[in-house]
Amino acid sequence: MSLKKTIEIDIVKVPSSKIESIDFENLAFGNVFTDHMFYCDCIDDVWQKPQIVPYEPFLLDPSAKVFHYGQAIFEGMKAYKDENDAVWLFRPDQNFERFNHSAKRMAMPEVPEAIFMEGLKVIVDMERNWVKKGIGNTLYIRPFMIATGTGVIAAPSNQYRFMIILSPAKSYYSGEVKVIIADHYSRAANGGIGAAKAAGNYSAQFYPTKLANEKGYQQIIWTDDASHTKLEEAGTMNVFFRINDTLYTAPTSERILDGVTRKSIIDLAKKEGFKVAVQSVLVSELVAASKNGSLKEIFGTGTAAVVNPIVGFSFEDIYYELPTIENSVALQLKEKLTKIQYKLEEDTFEWTVKV
Ligand SMILES: *Cc1c(COP(=O)(O)O)cnc(C)c1O
């Protein structure tokens, strides 16, 4: 796949980069941003000329619709540097498609492919010094779109801003993750916005996650909203269960986000000869599998952490600890995927795209 140059961008560069002042060895995830940001406004369905300007705050009217009605969507992706200083993106076409799927669901305009892809390529290229070599170093990319039109009447905005900001990141290790299985709160419902990467899905999770944190759990495993019997996602990650030697993950639906890492792990696991079943696991099946010893692993998948092993889960106030195992499938798949992303292993799927 190649990225075609089809748009013109106005570029204003910073007088001098702040990169020398950044401690790349001690980066907290998502706190430091690069020198520049990309944006493109859409006014009455007409996309304006894209801009790259110094990273800085910008003004919005207090009645901007994003503040009142939550028209806000985003993506999360990463750039990687290989041993020869080339910079690579991972499946950006998937993020682009999902972005516009989210836009549609939130009654926002779809971003033209040239603006998304070319904007991405040009800004990442400009900031390539911020992508450090070596496994674990990445540039986290955050495309997002907000409703900037004014007026508190409850209707879709007539004005939007699409932006891309970039944050250098170290590999994300969240320590031992214990999860609690949701039996009351829901992340998403049929007919809702769970399949969109909408800001509101995250704010909806904060309170129940805070309650889980207070009980000593880092994340919640979300279940279906109607019956709380089917296991769906782990926090803001897709979730896999290894029962005996089969990896189970729920099919995507209106309640489950179609993760790029999830689908890549499915393809990779199949290629590596693991059995994969895309089918829902019931809470009762998980508890039974834990009791009879057939439950070997649980792990979340997402761009930030790639693969995040889970050490145990709580259901109805009983804690079920997972066995410690050698040759964890989660870690094998994480290593394989990471090597593809850093161009240390052949990319037979053609997932990586050079900037
Ligand atoms: C972003 C996200 C994921 C992971 O998607 P990736 O494309 O793998 O990063 C999973 N679940 C939810 C709810 C998400 O918002």
Side-chain angles (χ1 to χ4, degrees), residues 206-225:
F206 289 161
Y207 178 66
T209 305
K210 194 174 97 173
L211 296 181
N213 294 162
E214 283 164 11
K215 289 185 169 177
Y217 297 91
Q218 286 70 40
Q219 286 295 353
I220 297 177
I221 290 202
W222 299 105
T223 49
D224 67 289
D225 62 300

Side-chain angles (χ1 to χ4, degrees), residues 272-291:
E272 295 298 317
F274 296 109
K275 275 175 266 168
V276 181
V278 178
Q279 69 187 62
S280 294
V281 174
L282 302 177
V283 180
S284 57
E285 292 170 338
L286 188 74
V287 168
S290 178
K291 284 182 176 160

Side-chain angles (χ1 to χ4, degrees), residues 74-77 95 98 187 194 196-198 201-202 205 233-238 255-263 301-304 306:
F74 68 93
E75 271 302 322
M77 48 209 297
N95 297 91
R98 189 170 67 189
R187 191 194 81 86
K197 224 167 163 68
N201 287 328
Y202 281 62
Q205 289 193 201
E233 294 214 54
T236 57
M237 293 182 289
N238 294 111
R255 301 183 305 270
I256 299 182
L257 192 104
D258 186 6
V260 180
T261 319
R262 171 189 174 277
K263 66 178 104 183
T301 62
T303 296
V306 190

Side-chain angles (χ1 to χ4, degrees), residues 48-164:
Q48 312 293 306
K49 194 165 188 199
Q51 312 284 324
I52 290 177
V53 296
Y55 184 96
E56 64 186 6
F58 59 99
L59 289 174
L60 282 182
D61 192 279
S63 75
K65 289 212 161 46
V66 63
F67 298 138
H68 304 273
Y69 305 118
Q71 276 184 298
I73 59 170
F74 68 93
E75 271 302 322
M77 48 209 297
K78 282 175 173 173
Y80 311 83
K81 193 168 262 179
D82 71 15
E83 288 302 305
N84 306 313
D85 283 322
V87 175
W88 298 85
L89 300 170
F90 184 73
R91 308 188 77 176
D93 55 314
Q94 299 292 315
N95 297 91
F96 165 67
E97 273 176 34
R98 189 170 67 189
F99 194 73
N100 277 344
H101 172 80
S102 302
K104 199 169 170 188
R105 179 63 184 82
M106 303 302 284
M108 299 168 90
E110 294 184 28
V111 179
E113 181 168 6
I115 293 176
F116 189 101
M117 287 299 192
E118 183 71 7
L120 184 63
K121 188 190 161 194
V122 172
I123 186 125
V124 172
D125 188 35
M126 268 177 78
E127 309 288 49
R128 59 170 54 240
N129 290 343
W130 293 78
V131 199
K132 298 296 177 191
K133 258 200 281 216
I135 280 205
N137 294 318
T138 59
L139 186 64
Y140 182 79
I141 304 168
R142 170 55 62 91
F144 65 104
M145 180 160 55
I146 53 172
T148 49
T150 58
V152 293
I153 181 162
S157 176
N158 69 332
Q159 219 164 298
Y160 296 87
R161 178 164 286 191
F162 167 63
M163 303 190 75
I164 303 173

